[in-house]
Amino acid sequence: MAPATLLETPNKAGGRLPVTLLSGFLGSGKTTLLENILTSPDHGLRIGVIVNDVGALNIDAALLTSHDVTRKEEQVVAMQNGCICCTLRGDLLEEVARLAEEKQVEYLVIESSGVSEPMQVAETFSEEFADMHVAAGYDLEAEDQGDQEANKKLAEILKAGGLSKVARLDTCVTLVDAVNFMQDFATADFLVDRQTDVPQEDDRNISDLQVDQVEFADVVVVNKCDLVSKDEVNRIKGVVKKLNPSARVVGTVKSRLDLKEILGTRLFSYEKAALSAGWLKSLNEEINPETEEYGIGTFVYRARRPFHPARLWDMIKSVFVVIQTEYQIEGEDMDVDQDEEDGSEEDDDDDGTGEADDDIDMEDQPQLDPKARLASKMADETFGPLLRSKGFLWLATRPRMYGEWSQAGVMLTISGQDLWRCEVPEDEWPADPETRKTITRDFDGRWGDRRQELVFIGQQMRKGGEERLRKALDACLLDDEEFRDWEAAMESDNTQEKLDDLFEDGFEDWIETSHEGHDHADGHSHGDHKH
């Protein structure tokens, strides 16, 4: 096949190199879509492609000479401070900078690995992070560990402002496999269960990653539509539109589509992408609760009372794999390890079989048996149809901080986030009048902006699903008598002590972080209760 005709593009004229990012699980059709792009005579562009495996591209070698196809091993450069926002994709930085500098290609397509989160790659290209990249460049230059020569090259790229100075992210595309999409909401698998190329310590799960990839996309390609029924395709599109209302949704067979849908669209905006998730739009905008496409509905649960921690745990423990961040006091783990090595008698069960301890572990930590939790969820009339939920929660024993609730499929992550605004002095609020007005809109009565605000996306919402979920959540709120006791404790001199006496709380501690930089303040502790 003859090489594509080259056109004059903004990059040829000295503009930034436009980039399309392809995300999606292994088998979703990313490589097939790349082949379609490289063999198409329609776009008339000389395209640079960064892929994980050149050998997987089934393309005539002569055609590859018309383009620039590079395989790059993922290379992560981490700063010594270990902060995730200072971790960079060194391989991507170098390769994109090279292609932009040489000006031999007019467009770049990046095939991310199946386990990549598109937001992290997008940050590499976004002007919003340019100052951070400059600072990281100087930090990297000062590093005295690792490959000094490689660090020096990366530092120069970063100090110049990073990739946003030479390239722009044009379109974020996520491909989903129509055959497996709904099944991946009904799986207990973690990445390590399916991927041989991820480290054992990678604790991400399939359902969460699928949601991350869909929610951040400008275009979602539902591929392999010929292998499922039309009703199933419509159901998948309905889920995608609820997860990401702003995205274009395109159905394909063998990844064939009009390439104008994914090349040169100028759809990407980091701010828009970060705010495009359906759960966030539901919180920020008025949504029509009667709107249900292809059996997929959404509603927002709001309440101005805290959850009773023990009742909330009882509700979630048997139907979700509950993921929390565990914080240990320095040196504490050494004591535990020593006890285990010594074979402490206190750990022995009554009959010496070990069965009692196993039973306790499984009941107290359901994530130890995720398949049992999945079976329980799928059989549950209330939570079985639930696909995605996310938002903010208020626990009775944690009056200063709000928690984040983030669920995809059977996986539920609960973590401490930040102080309620009512706990932050007003002189520390943002100065912008509109922002301050937005903050005060969340205040209601004597307890400020404390509230439950959770978005739920799932099936059967208009067929009793929403009513059942609301009833289950309402049952976790403090009742009138408990709320009076809570208010009295809040007015007392020893608030936290009284709250801990009133309400059992077995959730992991939340660490209170400062509002500037990466410094950490003392964490919140609430007694020794553990489920």
Side-chain angles (χ1 to χ4, degrees), residues 141-265:
E141 194 173 47
E143 288 276 337
D144 56 4
Q145 297 181 2
D147 187 332
Q148 296 292 300
E149 192 60 35
N151 284 356
K152 184 178 178 182
K153 284 166 57 179
L154 284 176
E156 290 302 317
I157 297 169
L158 291 166
K159 287 193 302 179
L163 292 183
S164 63
K165 298 299 181 185
V166 296
R168 64 171 180 83
L169 192 53
D170 181 88
T171 318
C172 268
V173 181
T174 292
L175 287 89
V176 299
D177 176 356
V179 176
N180 294 310
F181 182 76
M182 296 304 295
Q183 293 176 30
D184 284 336
F185 276 107
T187 181
D189 287 353
F190 287 78
L191 286 183
V192 293
D193 298 322
R194 296 192 185 181
Q195 301 274 151
T196 58
D197 57 346
V198 296
Q200 283 299 310
E201 60 269 22
D202 192 328
D203 59 1
R204 292 176 297 163
N205 63 78
I206 294 295
S207 298
D208 273 337
L209 181 56
Q210 174 166 269
V211 165
D212 286 343
Q213 292 181 347
V214 169
E215 287 183 340
F216 198 76
D218 299 305
V219 180
V220 178
V221 177
V222 181
N223 192 31
K224 304 184 181 179
C225 289
D226 56 324
L227 301 182
V228 297
S229 68
K230 185 176 180 180
D231 285 346
E232 180 69 358
V233 171
N234 287 335
R235 186 162 68 121
I236 293 167
K237 288 182 176 180
V239 173
V240 169
K241 290 303 289 183
K242 291 298 183 186
L243 291 175
N244 187 345
S246 301
R248 292 181 183 175
V249 184
V250 183
T252 64
V253 174
K254 297 182 180 177
S255 301
R256 288 193 294 265
L257 47 67
D258 183 345
L259 294 179
K260 292 177 183 175
E261 298 274 11
I262 61 170
L263 301 179
T265 69

Side-chain angles (χ1 to χ4, degrees), residues 188 318-319 362 366 369-378 410:
S318 62
V319 292
M362 283 302 182
D369 191 7
K371 286 185 169 54
R373 298 288 73 75
L374 175 61
S376 180
K377 176 183 181 293
M378 298 310 291
V410 76

Side-chain angles (χ1 to χ4, degrees), residues 279-508:
W279 71 272
L280 197 53
K281 281 186 171 291
S282 296
L283 289 184
N284 294 335
E285 303 171 8
E286 286 299 317
I287 60 168
N288 180 1
E290 298 303 317
T291 302
E292 183 169 294
E293 292 183 88
Y294 308 115
I296 308 299
T298 302
F299 78 93
V300 182
Y301 177 84
R302 292 186 171 95
R304 288 283 175 170
R305 282 196 185 187
F307 285 133
H308 190 301
R311 287 206 293 274
L312 182 66
W313 177 259
D314 285 341
M315 179 186 78
I316 64 178
K317 70 178 183 181
S318 62
V319 292
F320 293 115
V321 175
V322 183
I323 302 168
Q324 302 180 76
T325 302
E326 183 176 354
Y327 298 97
Q328 285 185 311
I329 299 171
E330 191 172 346
E332 206 175 55
D333 55 338
M334 294 178 64
D335 295 336
V336 173
D337 290 343
Q338 188 62 44
D339 287 344
E340 288 176 353
E341 288 177 13
D342 292 345
S344 172
E345 291 182 7
E346 291 180 4
D347 292 333
D348 291 343
D349 55 273
D350 291 339
D351 60 8
T353 64
E355 292 179 3
D357 281 348
D358 288 346
D359 290 343
I360 291 170
D361 282 344
M362 283 302 182
E363 183 177 343
D364 290 357
Q365 301 185 60
Q367 60 267 43
L368 296 180
D369 191 7
K371 286 185 169 54
R373 298 288 73 75
L374 175 61
S376 180
K377 176 183 181 293
M378 298 310 291
D380 190 276
E381 185 181 28
T382 300
F383 292 98
L386 184 62
L387 300 171
R388 170 71 163 149
S389 58
K390 189 161 181 172
F392 315 107
L393 72 135
W394 171 20
L395 290 183
T397 46
R398 325 254 174 136
R400 283 176 56 79
M401 294 179 69
Y402 64 89
E404 182 184 64
W405 164 301
S406 181
Q407 170 262 333
V410 76
M411 305 295 178
L412 169 61
T413 300
I414 291 181
S415 57
Q417 288 299 300
D418 207 340
L419 298 178
W420 293 107
R421 286 291 185 180
C422 60
E423 289 286 339
V424 179
E426 286 194 34
D427 60 4
E428 294 182 23
W429 289 12
D432 178 63
E434 284 302 313
T435 304
R436 294 174 76 92
K437 190 187 296 184
T438 301
I439 290 171
T440 56
R441 274 204 297 266
D442 291 327
F443 280 60
D444 183 15
R446 63 193 292 206
W447 303 118
D449 59 329
R450 296 181 180 92
R451 65 198 185 279
Q452 317 293 352
E453 201 163 66
L454 300 164
V455 179
F456 291 85
I457 301 172
Q459 304 172 88
Q460 303 175 18
M461 288 299 189
R462 304 288 85 80
K463 297 179 180 178
E466 176 180 341
E467 184 181 349
R468 288 188 290 272
L469 284 165
R470 287 189 181 278
K471 185 177 179 181
L473 292 161
D474 285 346
C476 297
L477 298 172
L478 300 189
D479 61 29
D480 291 346
E481 182 178 352
E482 289 169 334
F483 194 47
R484 283 193 294 271
D485 291 340
W486 183 88
E487 291 186 306
M490 289 294 290
E491 300 288 359
S492 69
D493 294 331
N494 49 348
T495 295
Q496 194 60 57
E497 184 180 332
K498 286 187 177 296
L499 292 177
D500 289 337
D501 288 340
L502 283 169
F503 309 108
E504 182 183 0
D505 183 344
F507 289 95
E508 293 292 343

